[in-house]
Amino acid sequence: MLGRVAPVMSGVSVLETCPKSVADLREHLAVVPDPRKRRGVRHTMGSILVIATVAVCAGARSFAAIGEWAADAPQWVLAVLGVRHDPRRGVYRAAGEATVRRVLQAVDADAVDTAIGTWLGQRHARTPGQDGGVRDGAGQDGVPGVAIAVDGKTLRGTCDRDGTGGVHLLSAMTHHTPTTGATVLAQVQVQSKTSEVAWFAPLLDQVDLTGVVVTADALHTVREHARYLTGRGADYVFIVKENQHRLYDLLDGLPWSTAPVHTTTDTGHGRTERRTIQVLPAPVDVDFPGAAQAFLIERYVTDRATGQISAVAVLGVTSLTAHQAGPAQIAGYVRGHWGIENRLHWVRDVTYGEDASRVRTGTAPRVMAGIRNLTISALRLAGHTNIAQALRHMARDVTRPLALFGMAS
C-alpha cells in the first residue's frame, strides 16, 4: 500500500526522502515506560504514543482531534500502529480521547523526549549532506560541522491568569541548512524556581557535541557553559550584554575602529536591512574559557514606507579561531541561531496553535510539544519547507506519515 505515496511539493516523494535505513519510530516509542498498573490495561504505551504522533503529523492539535483521527483510521492502519485487536469482534480498536489524555498526562516526559531525540538524531545523521556524504556532526580539518542553537519557550496556555508560572521548555535544534532543514535533537523542562542556565548542560548531555558549534543568547554567556562546551570538544558563539560587566567592558574597549568591516544587505518585507560585522582577537586578559575571537555586529533597518531607520549593536565572543571561522561565518552563526524562533517556536504557535492550547495537566503539555518538535523536524528532514502545507499534504493520505516515520509495515 505504501507504493501509493504521492510526491511532496518539492517534487521528491516521501519514500525517496525516507530511505529504508531510517529507523522505525515504533521501536523507539515502545521502550517508553508505562506509568499505569498492569491490571486492566488494554492499549500499549507504544501504540498510544504512535497514534498521537501520526495524528499530530496529520494536523491534530488537541486530544479530541487525536481521538477523532484514531476513530476514523482504516483497520489496516491501526494494525500497522500496533493497536489492540478485539478477538470477539474481529476488529482493531484504538484508544479513545480519554485514554490518550490520561496516559499523556502521566507518562515519563523525559523518556518520551529521549526516544524522540534518539530517533531524530539518527535520522539527521543519515541525511545526505551537500557534498553527497552523510552528516556525522563533526567537522573536518578543524572546520566546524553542525551548529546547534539552544533556546527556551514558555507554553503560554499553561500559565496562570496573571501570566506567571507555566511550563518552560529548553530545546537544542540544529541550524537550518538546505539539505537537513532544522532538527530538534533534545528538549528538557526547566523546573519552577530555576532558570535556563541550570538546564543548559543537562540538555546538551543528550547530544554528541564533538565538532559542533553551539549558539545561545546572552543568558547563557557564562564561564561554566563555555568550560562545559570546550571540555566536550565543541565550540561556542555567544552574545555578550552588559550583565557580564567585566567581559562586556573588555570587548567594548577593543579598537573596533581599526577592524575590517564585512557588510551584507537584504531587502524584503517592506524593509532594507544592512548588517556589518567586525572581528578581532579576544583580549589577552579575558577571563572566559576558550575565548579566541570577539565580534561586533551592527544592524541598520530601514522601513521603505516611512524611511525610518533603527539601529542595534551587539558584542559577542567565540571559541572559534580565525582559521575556523571568519567574519562571514560568525555572522552566519549569529543569524542562524534565531532560526529556532522562526522555524520551531513560531511554527508551534501559529501552525499548531500551541499557546492557545488548553492542555495543562501533568506531563501532557511537554509531551505534546515534543511530538510537535518530532513532526516539524521530520517534515523538514523530508524536504518540506512550509509546515502548514506539509501537514495538509500528510492529512490527505495516511500512508505518508507512516512512511515519514519509517513504519512501512
Side-chain angles (χ1 to χ4, degrees), residues 109-123:
D110 287 332
V112 175
D113 277 336
T114 298
I116 289 173
T118 301
W119 188 87
L120 282 173
Q122 293 179 5
R123 179 74 175 87

Side-chain angles (χ1 to χ4, degrees), residues 159-348:
C159 294
D160 299 329
R161 291 185 177 181
D162 60 0
T164 61
V167 174
H168 188 81
L169 303 175
L170 187 65
S171 302
M173 187 185 81
T174 62
H175 285 207
H176 172 77
T177 70
T179 53
T180 63
T183 307
V184 181
L185 300 179
Q187 174 181 270
V188 295
Q189 181 171 341
V190 177
Q191 300 301 321
S192 60
K193 299 184 180 180
T194 63
S195 73
E196 286 186 12
V197 174
W199 295 90
F200 183 88
L203 172 74
L204 293 177
D205 282 343
Q206 306 172 58
V207 182
D208 181 5
L209 295 181
T210 306
V212 168
V213 177
V214 174
T215 62
D217 58 27
L219 176 66
H220 295 287
T221 306
V222 295
R223 292 173 179 81
E224 290 78 10
H225 290 357
R227 190 175 296 111
Y228 168 82
L229 292 173
T230 54
R232 290 198 57 197
D235 286 290
Y236 60 81
V237 177
F238 287 160
I239 300 299
V240 179
K241 291 188 176 180
E242 294 184 55
N243 61 319
Q244 290 285 343
H245 305 293
R246 185 173 184 276
L247 179 60
Y248 182 89
D249 291 342
L250 281 173
L251 301 187
D252 191 42
L254 290 174
W256 296 111
S257 61
T258 65
V261 179
H262 177 81
T263 304
T264 59
T265 302
D266 288 328
T267 300
H269 304 288
R271 64 183 186 179
T272 300
E273 182 175 358
R274 182 170 65 91
R275 296 179 298 275
T276 68
I277 181 171
Q278 297 168 272
V279 180
L280 290 172
V284 294
D285 56 343
V286 67
D287 182 20
F288 202 80
Q293 297 187 90
F295 56 88
L296 169 64
I297 293 178
E298 296 177 300
R299 291 190 289 267
Y300 303 91
V301 179
T302 303
D303 188 314
R304 289 185 291 170
T306 64
Q308 184 177 359
I309 300 175
S310 60
V312 177
V314 296
L315 290 165
V317 63
T318 177
S319 61
L320 294 166
T321 64
H323 168 69
Q324 293 175 300
Q329 289 74 31
I330 295 174
Y333 285 128
V334 173
R335 193 175 187 192
H337 172 76
W338 300 113
I340 195 169
E341 291 286 349
N342 300 329
R343 299 179 186 278
L344 180 65
H345 298 165
W346 187 88
V347 174
R348 278 171 30 192

